[in-house]
Amino acid sequence: MTIILGIETSCDETSIAILKDGNQILSNIVSTQINVHKRFGGVVPEIASRMHTEKIHFLLESAFKEANLNYSDLSSIAVTYGPGLEGSLLIGLSLAKTLAYLLKVPLIGVNHLMGHIYANFLNHHVPKFPFIVLIVSGGHTQLVLVKDYLEFVILGSTKDDAAGEAFDKVAKYLGLPYPGGPIIEKMAKEGNPRAFPFPIGLKNEGLDFSFSGLKTAVIQKINNLKKQAINFSINDVAASFQKAVIDALLLKSLRALKQYKITNFALSGGVAANKTLRDFFINELMNNGVQVFMPETKFATDNAAMIAAAGFVLFDNKKFANFSLKVKPNLSLC
Ligand code: KG4
Ligand code: ZN
């Protein structure tokens, strides 16, 4: 039996999870700081680290209580060491080192992006290797070929904004609160996605993404409508913008699947919590003979269960870290 404690503090969620044998979640406690950062229109790094420090020990206590376990039951400590906010990552890593040192169990450094990928392994049915995963979060938009448990090839990345970042920036422009994704999704449900035909970045070339042109197109459209005193529905803008993001993500994902002749596909990252996007991917990819996997919504956004799941894979492969492990704010997947 392998029991892994997962710790996640890379951005504005503090989370501790306890995972048995790679996929049985004994506890997954997530404390979000969104309500505090909201009033600043985005994450304030200094506040994020302070809040991790204030909360993390209470979460640790709750995680053990919920799992009904003791410290001595742990096989290993898995912690996010990058990418993310430096000060925030340091809080999780310091706790992880202290626990691993005192309990004399291996320390495992987990790449946050690998965590997002392995959120898909918390399900009953998991993707078969080789598979392609689309990571869509606030900081990343990447198509990755996963050849084996620890073999990743980046097939495409965003050239500018990440998909989640585009949701957040457009929401901010529309005067909506941070984070933009959930609120735009809600408004889009009441709007017409065909009201404004927004562009798809890098439509005809390759597997990379670009969302900054889309963001500018949305802003220009609103400015022009306002200048001409034309009435418009903000829900239509939200729906049309969301459609353009989904169309871009789908186009590149299908292109990658065809190019590499892959039939298993996984979604991951905060934007993968978007129900409209999930439904579109399921329909479109299944119509193309592709098996689609996605984490439950609560495991798509940042959480420690996914860090423990990736930690389990690293544990199994004896990829242990030593106590000189440093945080890496710009860490990439490979
Ligand atoms: O993976 P995540 O929790 O944190 C990072 O690693 O970045 O992703 C956060 C991002 C934010 O940009 C947020 O706006 C977006 O995920 N997001 C969504 C939804 N829920 C969260 N985007 C679209 N629709 C959603 N329902
Ligand atoms: Zn994330």
Side-chain angles (χ1 to χ4, degrees):
M1 186 167 63
T2 307
I3 307 274
I4 300 205
L5 181 90
I7 303 176
E8 158 62 35
T9 62
S10 68
C11 191
D12 57 347
E13 263 89 34
T14 320
S15 180
I16 306 260
I18 299 179
L19 192 71
K20 184 177 159 190
D21 295 334
N23 61 5
Q24 295 169 53
I25 300 164
L26 304 183
S27 57
N28 179 48
I29 318 281
V30 184
S31 164
T32 180
Q33 307 174 356
I34 283 173
N35 279 334
V36 178
H37 296 293
K38 226 176 204 168
R39 61 186 101 121
F40 302 102
V43 179
V44 183
E46 176 67 24
I47 295 177
S49 353
R50 285 179 194 212
M51 292 198 70
H52 288 308
T53 311
E54 281 168 27
K55 295 265 169 69
I56 201 155
H57 294 88
F58 296 107
L59 300 195
L60 186 64
E61 209 174 293
S62 309
F64 276 106
K65 228 180 237 163
E66 196 171 305
N68 200 17
L69 290 181
N70 298 309
Y71 284 95
S72 57
D73 296 315
L74 297 181
S75 315
S76 175
I77 315 288
V79 59
T80 305
Y81 73 106
L85 302 170
E86 184 161 15
S88 292
L89 290 164
L90 275 169
I91 314 297
L93 184 59
S94 304
L95 174 65
K97 283 185 181 179
T98 309
L99 288 172
Y101 180 77
L102 290 174
L103 300 172
K104 296 185 173 53
V105 295
L107 172 72
I108 295 176
V110 177
N111 183 317
H112 182 80
L113 299 171
M114 185 176 160
H116 274 305
I117 294 175
Y118 279 98
N120 280 288
F121 282 63
L122 294 168
N123 290 336
H124 212 66
H125 296 288
V126 303
K128 282 194 197 73
F129 300 105
F131 65 90
I132 286 178
V133 58
L134 173 66
I135 305 173
V136 265
S137 69
H140 292 83
T141 298
Q142 282 188 335
L143 271 168
V144 179
L145 174 64
V146 187
K147 289 181 159 178
D148 203 345
Y149 280 102
L150 296 172
E151 252 187 90
F152 309 107
V153 181
I154 297 172
L155 305 178
S157 301
T158 181
K159 294 283 190 198
D160 36 60
D161 294 342
E165 194 179 356
F167 269 97
D168 297 338
K169 285 181 175 171
V170 166
K172 197 167 183 177
Y173 187 77
L174 295 174
L176 304 168
Y178 172 86
I183 181 100
I184 287 192
E185 177 177 20
K186 195 167 159 215
M187 295 177 78
K189 285 203 176 93
E190 312 297 323
N192 172 11
R194 293 181 200 285
F196 306 107
F198 289 130
I200 291 181
L202 305 174
K203 186 172 180 174
N204 300 314
E205 1 162 345
L207 301 176
D208 286 330
F209 302 89
S210 169
F211 292 104
S212 75
L214 167 61
K215 175 191 65 194
T216 309
V218 173
I219 294 172
Q220 276 174 352
K221 187 80 208 172
I222 296 172
N223 283 345
N224 286 340
L225 291 168
K226 280 184 179 163
K227 229 184 258 162
Q228 295 169 53
I230 298 172
N231 272 336
F232 66 95
S233 146
I234 209 159
N235 293 340
D236 287 350
V237 176
S240 303
F241 161 76
Q242 179 177 271
K243 178 179 169 8
V245 175
I246 296 174
D247 285 352
L249 296 172
L250 251 172
L251 176 82
K252 301 288 170 142
S253 300
L254 269 169
R255 192 176 285 168
L257 286 159
K258 288 202 173 122
Q259 200 170 316
Y260 288 86
K261 299 187 173 57
I262 301 287
T263 56
N264 274 227
F265 180 87
L267 261 177
S268 69
V271 182
N274 186 297
K275 175 89 170 62
T276 316
L277 179 142
R278 293 166 79 92
D279 291 346
F280 260 92
F281 266 82
I282 292 171
N283 286 336
E284 282 292 317
L285 296 191
M286 278 178 41
N287 282 342
N288 281 274
V290 175
Q291 277 208 58
V292 188
F293 300 83
M294 48 190 75
E296 267 182 62
T297 309
K298 64 179 173 199
F299 300 124
T301 49
D302 288 351
N303 67 87
M306 71 183 196
I307 301 304
F312 177 77
V313 172
L314 293 162
F315 181 88
D316 229 24
N317 286 275
K318 301 202 167 32
K319 300 275 184 199
F320 305 134
N322 61 39
F323 287 109
S324 64
L325 181 67
K326 292 185 181 59
V327 296
K328 297 221 166 72
N330 297 314
L331 185 66
S332 69
L333 195 56
C334 49

